[in-house]
Amino acid sequence: MLVVSAAGPEAEAYRGYCLEAVAARYDVVLITPTAPTWEREFIADFEIADPDDAQALAAAGRALAGRHELTGVATWTEWYLVQTARLARRLGLPSNGPEVMEAARNKATARTLFARHGVPSAASMTARSLLEAALAAETIGYPIVLKPAARAGSIGVIRVDRAEELPGGFAFAAAGARDGIESTNVLVEEYLDGPEVSVECVTHRGHTTAVAVTRKTLGEAPFFEEVAHSVDAADPLLDQVASVATAAIKALGITNGVSHVEMRLVNGRPRLIEVNARLGGDMIGHLVRLATGVDLARAAADTACGQAPDLTRTRRSAAAIRLLYPSASGTLTHCHLDARFAARTPWLEQVTFQRTVGDTVILAPVGDMFSARAGFLITTGSTAETAQARAEEALGHLTLAVEPLPSASVA
């Protein structure tokens, strides 16, 4: 099986469990932008190529196909979805079409498809200038959300409550949109007021199964940075949101793969934010496995290879992740967890630090999740409430301190 993946410590921290799970079932060959390091124990072969370079990616795929009998190609990297679909088509391997992945990546296209198929979503308009954004905001009504049409990870997403906040908000969203591949436009959208969740889904030959619900905790407004998630195998919300998630996947034309469907509950009713046509980030797939026993990384590989995924639940538990952020931008001076506490708490499933003392962390609005996060911790429990309470307890034994940067350094 061929996997197209990002490289480096971020990929190891958040996607290492995916590669390990796939390698337990398949012989894996890898296309990656730089020479593999931690990945080597899980792969049989590799090619180095920039997935954003279509010719280089195709050449790498052909080279691996010449040395191995490939059965499928997959990626869990948001930025490589369209490129991977094109590669699969060139190699004659099963995949969603590139146009389907483009629709999933371009939030404006996705909104149009949701409306066409009657999937409840947010009102949305495209703005190419501040003037267009102002007109759209007056049409939709404040508060609004500004976001890049083709990014992820809450990059460039901001809530604007009043007209006087619009210029700064539009500049923030436009800066995030500049690196979009499928679109560099900014969307002006209705603010959906309610708790945010995601539905983790698996689709095989056009049939979608909603596997689990992830409940989310967001950081301080006006940004939408996700700071915690929890998954409970017994969450009653799954039955309420499953039909909307599956309808959204069908509207986009996704016929195979794992999807991470984000929505908000407005007056108790689900309204779509977006469909991410890949495994959720922030270790969500790992939380699902801890809570339910369903291996979403393995399911993604199975569907990519045309095989029926095993979605049998073998656990009835819960798990939570707390993403670690410093209180301010600055240079890390302390970054550790009390070792004695960790040794006596079996429910503290994992602690990972992405940063070390001396590293610089930059919070929003200047920074984003890639520059701000210091790591994460994962806890388990019989219910989500227990797992979340344990995460709070673990935070009390964790030291994360910074020496603030001069204000000019983060302006």
Side-chain angles (χ1 to χ4, degrees):
M1 179 184 183
L2 172 59
V3 172
V4 181
S5 177
E10 290 280 351
E12 181 181 12
Y14 289 99
R15 294 305 195 187
Y17 79 95
C18 298
L19 187 57
E20 183 177 2
V22 174
R25 171 65 176 83
Y26 294 93
D27 292 329
V28 177
V29 294
L30 183 70
I31 298 178
T32 181
T34 60
T37 53
W38 62 270
E39 303 98 331
R40 285 183 181 271
E41 67 175 297
F42 303 116
I43 61 176
D45 199 357
F46 68 93
E47 285 284 329
I48 300 173
D50 180 359
D52 289 328
D53 184 331
Q55 290 185 338
L57 184 63
R62 287 193 299 268
L64 289 170
R67 301 196 296 267
H68 305 275
E69 183 178 351
L70 302 180
T71 55
V73 57
T75 187
W76 39 73
T77 304
E78 174 73 22
W79 327 113
Y80 301 161
L81 288 171
V82 176
Q83 300 93 316
T84 300
R86 289 176 180 148
L87 177 62
R89 177 171 287 180
R90 287 182 175 179
L91 297 176
L93 296 171
S95 174
N96 297 295
E99 64 282 355
V100 172
M101 293 295 97
E102 287 175 346
R105 286 282 299 129
N106 190 329
K107 296 176 178 63
T109 304
R111 291 277 188 238
T112 299
L113 291 171
F114 296 155
R116 184 180 302 163
H117 291 268
V119 181
S121 180
S124 179
M125 300 176 71
T126 299
R128 291 175 292 272
S129 67
L130 178 58
L131 176 59
E132 289 185 358
L135 294 172
E138 291 301 322
T139 301
I140 293 172
Y142 290 95
I144 58 169
V145 175
L146 300 176
K147 64 174 62 173
R151 295 305 303 275
S154 301
I155 295 172
V157 184
I158 188 170
R159 192 179 85 188
V160 173
D161 294 330
R162 298 179 297 276
E164 52 266 35
E165 299 172 0
L166 186 63
F170 184 79
F172 177 77
R178 289 193 195 109
D179 293 329
I181 298 172
E182 290 74 28
S183 173
T184 56
N185 288 333
V186 170
L187 300 185
V188 181
E189 297 195 338
E190 169 191 11
Y191 173 63
L192 302 177
D193 190 5
E196 185 168 331
V197 303
S198 63
V199 189
E200 318 314 326
C201 299
V202 180
T203 305
H204 177 58
R205 296 182 179 175
H207 174 74
T208 296
T209 301
V211 174
V213 171
T214 304
R215 301 210 182 216
K216 302 179 178 297
T217 302
L218 302 183
E220 294 185 8
F223 309 108
F224 291 81
E225 187 69 38
E226 296 173 354
V227 298
H229 309 281
S230 65
V231 177
D232 192 325
D235 196 328
L237 186 60
L238 182 61
D239 290 338
Q240 180 182 341
V241 299
S243 61
V244 174
T246 56
I249 290 168
K250 183 177 181 180
L252 292 175
I254 296 170
T255 56
N256 286 286
V258 173
S259 297
H260 172 69
V261 183
E262 296 183 332
M263 58 181 70
R264 282 198 167 200
L265 304 176
V266 181
N267 297 320
R269 297 178 179 273
R271 301 273 299 278
L272 252 294
I273 298 175
E274 63 191 38
V275 174
N276 299 284
R278 41 81 184 166
L279 190 64
D282 292 351
M283 301 293 288
I284 286 174
H286 186 56
L287 299 186
V288 170
R289 187 185 63 80
L290 290 172
T292 71
V294 177
D295 191 331
L296 292 179
R298 166 75 177 272
D302 289 339
T303 57
C305 294
Q307 302 297 313
D310 182 0
L311 304 181
T312 305
R313 290 182 169 220
T314 59
R315 298 180 186 175
R316 190 173 176 86
S317 185
I321 184 170
R322 178 61 61 94
L323 301 158
L324 305 177
Y325 291 85
S327 58
S329 297
T331 302
L332 279 175
T333 57
H334 297 83
C335 185
H336 68 272
L337 180 75
D338 185 322
R340 289 177 296 177
F341 169 78
R344 67 175 186 266
T345 47
W347 46 258
L348 183 59
E349 198 272 340
Q350 183 177 343
V351 179
T352 296
F353 290 108
Q354 301 164 236
R355 312 288 180 187
T356 59
V357 170
D359 287 349
T360 299
V361 287
I362 306 294
L363 304 182
V366 177
D368 55 31
M369 60 179 286
F370 299 108
S371 66
R373 285 185 187 173
F376 60 85
L377 60 84
I378 295 175
T379 53
T380 58
S382 58
T383 66
E385 291 76 13
T386 300
Q388 290 166 333
R390 286 172 169 176
E392 286 292 333
E393 182 181 350
L395 284 176
H397 295 269
L398 184 142
T399 303
L400 189 65
V402 297
E403 179 181 342
L405 295 173
S407 57
S409 300
V410 294

